[in-house]
């Protein structure tokens, strides 16, 4: 038997055992939603590297998104199994010298930075120097990341001159936290600029929305020949952007120049989110500037991202308290329309767009037909992670209500 066949046989056997083991597990329904969803994912994917439906090791943003949420569950509820699940992933992916399996710095892809955020807490608890070296490696990517003339990062080296809202989330919160933890005071202006630059390039005054992306060179087929903006406002792109604000602001000093401008844009985003909330369900559509039109659908990842962002923005005082009503309605809408629980108590979140992009080898035109016909699936990490984060915010709110009621 060839070596490759033996490896496949062993892996197949391990996955089979894991599947049988998972079948015997249940999730208790009297727990908070954040815990129930996190436990459900751990049962579905016994090894944390398997998240995002992966058959092999991968270093990408989805693992970081979910495992960040699970570390937050650990921080709140203290069950070490959530921390151990995250630790198992980074211990597998990060080598002793700080290099990272499947990570290639020379690709200069912002998508590869996001998972680095979980390393801050892992290093803080383990003091294992390999994680500090990995953090430094990811930080070094910004030093060579291709930029436009205004300092805005390209989304990827293979996407020249392109600014995507997705990319702001993938890079800026990590950059901000690294600067905060390492006293890189000169980096804050670069972080702030990524947010404001993206706003300038993607905002469409005709719809009062932010478009998915902009090709500053205006050369791509998907780009408007005059503005460079893509055709539509994609729900999850605006969701990434909103989450980027509330996460990065945790680490940007209150009196840093430009922070007030970030808050102006965040409030603009909040207003847009409120305006486009579906009145009946409290949810949001896949293509925001075509909300309610034939073929469009209510989508779970952007809905969860918006709810999390509004909850946190209200809690931190970034937006008016009136937005709490929008977040509460949206959260209930998620529970009513997207959350399913099976006979073993496993929680699923349905109706998530699997992926959407622009350009590339299999060219994505970014027109309306493209967005509404991309694959839709259950338990996509881009819905799971934000649902856990939104649930944690909601659970915190319940604690506050109990304290107020007691007083």
């Amino acid at each position: 038997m060839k070596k490759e066949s033996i490896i496949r046989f062993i892996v197949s056997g391990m996955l089979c055992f894991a599947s049988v083991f998972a079948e015997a597990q249940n999730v208790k329904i009297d727990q908070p939603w954040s815990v129930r969803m996190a436990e459900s994912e751990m049962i579905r994917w016994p090894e944390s590297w398997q998240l995002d439906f992966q058959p092999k090791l991968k270093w990408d943003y989805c693992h970081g998104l979910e495992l960040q949420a699970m570390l937050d569950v650990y921080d709140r509820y203290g069950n070490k199994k959530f921390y151990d699940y995250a630790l198992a992933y980074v211990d597998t992916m990060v080598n002793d010298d700080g290099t990272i399996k499947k990570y290639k710095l020379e690709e200069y892809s912002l998508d590869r930075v996001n998972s680095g955020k979980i390393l801050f807490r892992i290093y803080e608890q383990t003091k294992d120097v390999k994680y500090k070296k990995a953090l430094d490696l990811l930080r070094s990517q910004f030093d060579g990341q291709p930029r436009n003339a205004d300092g805005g990062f390209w989304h990827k080296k293979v996407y020249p001159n392109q600014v995507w809202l997705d990319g702001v989330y993938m890079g800026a919160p990590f950059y901000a936290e690294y600067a905060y933890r390492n006293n890189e005071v000169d980096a804050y202006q670069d972080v702030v600029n990524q947010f404001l630059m993206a706003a300038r390039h993607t905002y469409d005054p005709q719809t009062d929305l932010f478009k998915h992306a902009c090709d500053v060179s205006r050369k791509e087929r998907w780009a408007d020949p005059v503005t460079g903006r893509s055709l539509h406002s994609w729900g999850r792109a605006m969701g990434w952007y909103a989450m980027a604000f509330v996460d990065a602001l945790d680490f940007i000093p209150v009196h840093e120049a430009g922070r007030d401008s970030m808050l102006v844009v965040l409030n603009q985003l909040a207003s847009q989110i409120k305006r486009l909330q579906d009145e009946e369900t409290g949810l949001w559509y896949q293509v925001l500037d075509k909300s309610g039109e034939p073929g469009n659908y209510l989508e779970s990842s952007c809905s969860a991202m918006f709810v999390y962002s509004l909850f946190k923005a209200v809690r931190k005082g970034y937006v008016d308290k009136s937005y709490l009503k929008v977040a509460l309605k949206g959260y209930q809408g998620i529970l009513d329309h997207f959350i399913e629980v099976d006979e073993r108590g496993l929680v699923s979140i349905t109706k998530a767009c699997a992926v959407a992009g622009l350009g590339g080898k299999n060219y994505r035109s970014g027109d309306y037909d493209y967005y509404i016909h991309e694959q839709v699936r259950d338990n996509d990490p881009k819905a799971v992670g934000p649902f856990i984060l939104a649930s944690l915010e909601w659970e915190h709110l319940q604690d506050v209500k109990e304290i107020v009621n007691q007083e």
Side-chain angles (χ1 to χ4, degrees):
M1 185 180 290
K2 293 183 179 180
K3 182 179 179 180
E4 293 80 2
S5 298
I6 294 174
I7 293 174
R8 282 198 297 269
F9 177 78
I10 293 173
V11 172
S12 178
M14 291 173 63
L15 291 176
C16 182
F17 173 79
S19 178
V20 172
F21 179 69
E23 285 297 321
Q25 293 181 284
N26 296 284
V27 175
K28 295 180 180 179
I29 62 173
D30 60 348
Q31 301 179 104
W33 280 112
S34 63
V35 174
R36 293 169 68 182
M37 178 60 88
E39 288 186 349
S40 298
E41 281 290 273
M42 291 171 66
I43 292 172
R44 278 189 284 268
W45 311 111
E47 300 292 339
S48 45
W49 61 262
Q50 297 172 325
L51 289 170
D52 194 26
F53 308 87
Q54 291 303 318
K56 57 185 179 181
L57 297 182
K58 185 178 184 181
W59 180 262
D60 205 15
Y61 64 92
C62 284
H63 290 82
L65 176 61
E66 272 209 55
L67 295 176
Q68 175 193 7
M70 291 192 185
L71 286 175
D72 286 353
V73 174
Y74 165 68
D75 287 346
R76 177 173 171 82
Y77 294 107
N79 193 323
K80 195 168 180 290
K81 68 182 180 182
F82 299 117
Y83 170 82
D84 290 340
Y85 190 71
L87 176 62
Y89 176 70
V90 296
D91 192 46
T92 297
M93 299 303 296
V94 179
N95 302 314
D96 290 340
D97 62 356
T99 56
I100 303 169
K101 296 179 179 68
K102 307 300 179 181
Y103 170 75
K104 297 178 181 178
L105 183 148
E106 63 273 14
E107 292 180 345
Y108 290 106
S109 170
L110 293 177
D111 287 347
R112 304 293 182 258
V113 175
N114 183 63
S115 283
K117 289 187 296 189
I118 61 178
L119 295 174
F120 291 114
R121 280 183 278 184
I122 297 295
Y123 173 63
E124 193 174 58
Q125 297 210 22
T126 65
K127 301 304 181 185
D128 191 329
V129 70
K130 75 175 185 178
Y131 298 125
K132 179 62 169 69
K133 290 178 179 178
L135 285 164
D136 293 343
L137 172 63
L138 292 167
R139 166 61 183 87
S140 72
Q141 180 176 320
F142 296 124
D143 295 333
Q145 189 77 22
R147 298 171 181 254
N148 290 315
D150 60 4
F153 291 137
W154 295 4
H155 187 60
K156 298 180 182 181
K157 185 178 180 180
V158 296
Y159 293 157
N161 309 115
Q162 295 178 33
V163 175
W164 294 24
L165 293 181
D166 319 31
V168 180
Y169 175 82
M170 301 306 163
F174 173 91
Y175 198 1
E177 185 167 358
Y178 189 97
Y180 175 81
R181 289 176 178 264
N182 293 275
N183 199 32
E184 285 193 4
V185 294
D186 293 336
Y188 291 127
Q189 281 300 296
D190 201 12
V191 176
V192 170
N193 184 49
Q194 301 310 312
F195 286 91
L196 303 185
M197 168 279 307
R200 289 194 302 271
H201 285 308
T202 64
Y203 179 69
D204 176 18
Q206 292 187 337
T207 60
D208 184 28
L209 292 171
F210 294 95
K211 295 295 182 70
H212 185 173
C214 177
D215 171 21
V216 176
S217 69
R218 302 183 296 279
K219 294 178 180 178
E220 284 288 337
R221 299 202 305 272
W222 55 257
D224 184 281
V226 176
T227 67
R229 292 191 294 263
S230 58
L231 292 171
H232 293 290
S233 297
W234 178 38
R236 187 155 71 230
M238 275 188 36
W240 288 128
Y241 196 37
M243 291 203 303
F245 275 97
V246 297
D247 288 353
L249 283 166
D250 286 342
F251 305 103
I252 298 174
V254 173
H255 299 295
E256 185 68 32
R259 190 179 191 272
D260 55 346
S261 297
M262 287 180 62
L263 291 174
V264 169
V265 179
L266 176 57
N267 275 267
Q268 188 178 15
L269 265 171
S271 175
Q272 295 165 357
I273 292 168
K274 178 180 179 179
R275 186 180 86 234
L276 291 173
Q277 185 175 38
D278 181 60
E279 185 175 344
E280 181 179 350
T281 64
L283 302 171
W284 288 267
Y285 279 88
Q286 162 77 343
V287 184
L288 294 174
D289 54 307
K290 296 287 185 180
S291 294
E293 294 199 10
N296 210 352
Y297 61 94
L298 297 168
E299 199 272 335
S300 61
S301 70
C302 75
S303 295
M305 290 176 176
F306 291 154
V307 169
Y308 162 65
S309 299
L310 290 181
F311 269 143
K312 186 172 181 180
V314 170
R315 175 170 63 83
K316 301 284 282 189
Y318 301 146
V319 300
D320 188 80
K321 292 180 180 180
S322 61
Y323 285 103
L324 180 60
K325 184 177 180 180
V326 181
L328 288 169
K329 184 175 181 178
Y331 188 67
Q332 189 60 54
I334 292 170
L335 296 178
D336 290 343
H337 298 278
F338 294 142
I339 296 299
E340 296 180 353
V341 182
D342 71 11
E343 65 278 1
R344 292 186 294 129
L346 267 68
V347 179
S348 289
I349 184 165
T350 63
K351 299 178 183 175
C353 172
V355 67
L358 294 163
K361 291 181 179 179
N362 298 316
Y363 205 84
R364 298 163 293 184
S365 65
D367 61 9
Y368 181 60
D369 187 69
Y370 163 72
Y371 283 111
I372 64 173
H373 285 104
E374 273 287 17
Q375 180 188 1
V376 177
R377 63 184 181 181
D378 297 347
N379 298 319
D380 188 287
K382 299 174 287 291
V384 171
F387 174 72
I388 294 174
L389 295 171
S391 295
L392 286 167
E393 289 290 336
W394 186 86
E395 290 151 21
H396 172 76
L397 186 63
Q398 307 317 299
D399 290 347
V400 174
K401 285 182 178 179
E402 289 179 9
I403 292 172
V404 172
N405 290 336
Q406 288 173 2
E407 292 179 347

